[in-house]
Amino acid sequence: MKKLYIETYGCQMNVSDSEVIFAILGKKGYVRTEDMGEADVILANTCSIRDNAEQRIWGRVDQFYQQKKSRPGVVVGIVGCMAERLKDALLDTRKVDLVAGPDAYRKLPALLDALSDGHPQMDVQLSREETYGDISPVRLDKNGVSAFISIMRGCNNVCSYCVVPYTRGVERSRDYRTIVREACECLSDGYKEVTLLGQNVDSYRFGDVDFAGLLAMVAEVSPTLRVRFSTSHPKDISDAVIETMARYPNICRHIHLPVQSGNDRILEKMRRRYTRAWYMERVAKIREVMPDCGLSTDAIVGFCSETEEEFRDTLSLFREAAYDSAFMFAYSERPGTLAAREYPDDVPQEEKTRRLEELIALQNTLSLESNRADVGKTFEVLVEGPSKRNPEQLCGRAGNNKMCVWTDSVHKPGDYVHVSVQDCTQATLLCTLSE
Ligand code: SAH
Ligand code: SF4
Ligand code: F3S
C-alpha cells in the first residue's frame, strides 16, 4: 500500500482534477495521506494563470526535493497546467521524477510503475475527447456538504492574455448522463450542493443538450440538492440559462460573470468578444429576471497599453454593475499567449499595483454597500460548518453566495436553516437564527 499526497493549486477545476487523480490511483492501491512527510508519492497539481502562481509552486518544488533527499525512494511529480506549459523544463531541474498534463491522468499508474527503472517519466499529450466522465471522484472537501462536478474541459476562447487554452487544450463537454449520474451519487452520499465547473459553462453542449438543458436536468435530481455553476462567459450566457435559474428554486441565484475590463478598446484587445454595452445588457437581463441574484466578477488591471482613462472605465463599470464581490488581478504576461507575442507589457509594475489597489478599495465599498442592503432580510442558508472566528457560531452561504454567520448549537453541516441578517461586515452577513 503506497501513500499518496497531493497539493492542489489554482482554480476549482484543479480541485476537481485532484479528486479524479485520487480515484484513478486509489484503484491501484494508493491511499491518501495529508502528511507529506509520510508520503511515497508527492504530487503538485499546478496552476500557470499568473507568474506569481508559478513562482509559489517553484518554491514548493525545492521543498519536495528536500523530502526526496531525506527519504530516498520518494517520488515527486508535477501535474496540471504548469506541467503542460513547462514540460521537459521541469524534468531538467532533476528535482522531479514525473510530469503529467491535465489529460494524462489515466496514465499515472503506468507512469508511476515505469519510474521503477530509474528514468523520469512525462506525458503531456492533450486530448480532444478526455473528460474523465466515467470516473467517480474521491471527494476532498472536509464537511461532506458541497461537491464539484466538472462538466467540460479545455477552452476555445483564446482571450489574448490567457494561458488556459494552451494548458488545457480544446473545449469538450462531458456526456450529460454521466453528469446527472454523478449528481445523484453526490445526493446519495449526503451532499447538499453541487457546483458545475467549466471555463465557460455557457458553451456546454453534448448532443442536443445545451447548458440551460443541463442545468434543468441537474436541478431535477432533487429539490434538496442546491446547484451552482462557474464560470459564465458574458458573450455566451443566454436568456435560456437565466430563465432556467429563475424557474428552479434550488439553482442558487448567483452568477460569476468575469468582465475583465470596462473599456471597449481593451476588451477588444483582450479578445473577449463583447463590449461594455453588451455586458451591461446581460447584467440588466439578470437583474430583471432575478432582482435578488448575486453577481460577482473578475477583472484585470494594467493590461497592455491600458491608459489611466481606460482603467477609470473599469472603475465606473464596477459602480454601475454594483458587484457583490470580485477577484481582481494585475496583468501578468504569460509566455506564448497572443498578448505576449503581439503587445508590449508596457504598464509599469508600480502603476499596475496602484490601479489594483484603487479597484480593490472601490470593490470593498461596493461589497459593504451590497451587504448593508441585505440587513433585515431573511435567507435560507446551507450550513457548512463552524465559523472560523468563533466556534460557537456556524457559517454557510445564502443562495446569492454571501457568507452568513450566526450563533447556533443545534444545527450541523448539511442542514438548511433560515437566518435573518442583523448586521454585516464587508465580507460577511452577521445573522441570527430565525424560525
Ligand atoms: N474562464 C474564466 C477565467 C479563468 S482564469 C473566464 O473566462 O472568465 C480566472 C481569472 O484569472 C480570469 O478571469 C482573469 O481575470 C484572470 N487572469 C487570467 N489570465 C491572467 C493574466 N495573464 N494576468 C492576470 N490575470 C489573469
Ligand atoms: Fe482564459 Fe478566456 Fe478561456 Fe477564460 S474564456 S479560460 S479567460 S481563454
Ligand atoms: Fe490555473 Fe489551470 Fe485553473 S492555469 S486557473 S489551474 S485551468
Side-chain angles (χ1 to χ4, degrees):
M1 218 165 56
K2 291 202 164 183
K3 291 192 171 144
L4 169 65
Y5 170 84
I6 306 183
E7 228 167 72
T8 307
Y9 295 87
C11 60
Q12 295 168 330
M13 311 227 36
N14 257 14
V15 176
S16 170
D17 282 1
S18 290
E19 298 182 332
V20 165
I21 296 172
F22 274 116
I24 290 170
L25 288 173
K27 281 215 176 92
K28 302 286 171 186
Y30 287 83
V31 292
R32 179 182 176 204
T33 175
E34 292 182 73
D35 175 5
M36 175 166 83
E38 63 160 32
D40 301 294
V41 176
I42 298 172
L43 298 182
N45 190 3
T46 58
C47 175
S48 288
I49 199 81
R50 286 169 289 277
D51 184 57
N52 57 13
E54 288 198 352
Q55 292 312 325
R56 256 173 79 204
I57 294 161
W58 278 118
R60 289 303 285 163
V61 169
D62 289 328
Q63 281 171 311
F64 300 151
Y65 186 56
Q66 296 307 318
Q67 291 284 325
K68 273 178 79 68
K69 283 205 296 199
S70 62
R71 296 189 296 127
V74 169
V75 168
V76 171
I78 303 296
V79 305
C81 291
M82 202 171 155
E84 191 62 49
R85 193 177 88 74
L86 295 172
K87 304 183 171 70
D88 315 59
L90 286 162
L91 293 182
D92 292 346
T93 62
R94 301 179 156 274
K95 292 178 181 170
V96 301
D97 310 291
L98 172 83
V99 170
D103 288 342
Y105 299 150
R106 285 183 205 267
K107 306 258 185 59
L108 281 173
L111 292 167
L112 285 166
D113 285 347
L115 279 175
S116 56
D117 69 12
H119 294 293
Q121 296 292 320
M122 176 165 84
D123 189 330
V124 288
Q125 189 72 44
L126 286 172
S127 157
R128 296 187 158 267
E129 291 92 32
E130 181 63 270
T131 61
Y132 303 110
D134 56 314
I135 293 176
S136 297
V138 173
R139 308 267 168 217
L140 295 179
D141 65 290
K142 294 218 168 63
N143 54 25
V145 172
S146 186
F148 292 135
I149 302 183
S150 281
I151 63 163
M152 57 209 296
R153 301 182 69 81
C155 183
N156 281 353
N157 280 319
V158 215
C159 302
S160 64
Y161 52 81
C162 183
V163 77
V164 170
Y166 305 90
T167 63
R168 296 232 157 212
V170 296
E171 183 186 286
R172 63 223 100 118
S173 295
R174 175 178 170 189
D175 187 332
Y176 55 87
R177 288 163 292 202
T178 70
I179 297 171
V180 172
R181 193 192 310 144
E182 193 174 325
C184 293
E185 282 168 14
C186 288
L187 184 73
S188 56
D189 290 344
Y191 285 89
K192 297 292 171 61
E193 182 175 89
V194 295
T195 303
L196 308 181
L197 298 178
Q199 290 300 350
N200 178 2
V201 291
D202 301 278
S203 66
Y204 176 90
R205 177 164 285 278
F206 194 93
D208 298 336
V209 179
D210 63 3
F211 185 57
L214 178 72
L215 255 186
M217 282 185 204
V218 177
E220 277 170 24
V221 166
S222 164
T224 65
L225 186 70
R226 274 183 168 190
V227 184
R228 296 184 182 276
F229 56 89
S230 186
T231 301
S232 294
H233 196 298
K235 79 177 161 59
D236 295 320
I237 188 168
S238 64
D239 289 357
V241 165
I242 298 169
E243 282 150 14
T244 304
M245 287 178 77
R247 207 160 62 238
Y248 289 92
N250 58 325
I251 303 180
C252 290
R253 291 171 180 221
H254 167 240
I255 298 180
H256 185 61
L257 198 65
V259 68
Q260 313 303 358
S261 165
N263 175 270
D264 283 344
R265 190 186 72 89
I266 295 296
L267 284 171
E268 160 91 51
K269 213 168 165 140
M270 288 177 161
R271 301 237 167 161
R272 288 292 284 180
R273 298 191 285 163
Y274 52 82
T275 59
R276 178 184 177 122
W278 170 276
Y279 184 92
M280 289 312 300
E281 187 282 326
R282 292 289 75 196
V283 171
K285 176 74 190 181
I286 293 164
R287 301 253 196 251
E288 175 203 320
V289 178
M290 297 176 291
D292 56 345
C293 188
L295 188 68
S296 56
T297 201
D298 294 344
I300 299 175
V301 302
F303 185 60
C304 311
S305 80
E306 183 190 66
T307 64
E308 177 66 20
E309 214 183 330
E310 288 165 333
F311 163 63
R312 305 239 140 242
D313 288 339
T314 301
L315 294 172
S316 73
L317 181 134
F318 266 53
R319 276 189 217 98
E320 254 179 70
Y323 295 117
D324 302 301
S325 65
F327 297 104
M328 297 152 281
F329 310 101
Y331 172 60
S332 165
E333 185 176 83
R334 307 315 291 130
T337 56
L338 193 90
R341 281 180 274 132
E342 296 196 353
Y343 313 134
D345 179 13
D346 53 3
V347 177
Q349 190 56 47
E350 318 80 76
E351 186 54 25
K352 287 180 183 169
T353 307
R354 191 200 56 75
R355 289 181 194 176
L356 183 60
E357 282 166 2
E358 190 171 347
L359 187 61
I360 292 172
L362 169 63
Q363 183 54 46
N364 287 345
T365 65
L366 294 174
S367 300
L368 185 61
E369 270 171 41
S370 155
N371 285 352
R372 282 207 180 119
D374 283 341
V375 173
K377 291 186 188 163
T378 299
F379 291 114
E380 185 183 55
V381 169
L382 174 60
V383 181
E384 284 177 19
S387 112
K388 280 175 201 88
R389 294 241 174 96
N390 179 349
E392 285 173 14
Q393 294 196 314
L394 291 177
C395 72
R397 283 173 199 281
N400 65 9
N401 210 35
K402 288 187 184 178
M403 184 53 87
C404 301
V405 299
W406 66 96
T407 303
D408 190 336
S409 56
V410 184
H411 295 98
K412 54 183 196 311
D415 288 347
Y416 286 105
V417 300
H418 285 90
V419 298
S420 88
V421 185
Q422 307 297 323
D423 197 359
C424 67
T425 67
Q426 161 204 310
T428 314
L429 300 180
L430 310 172
C431 311
T432 53
L433 267 178
S434 86
E435 262 157 329

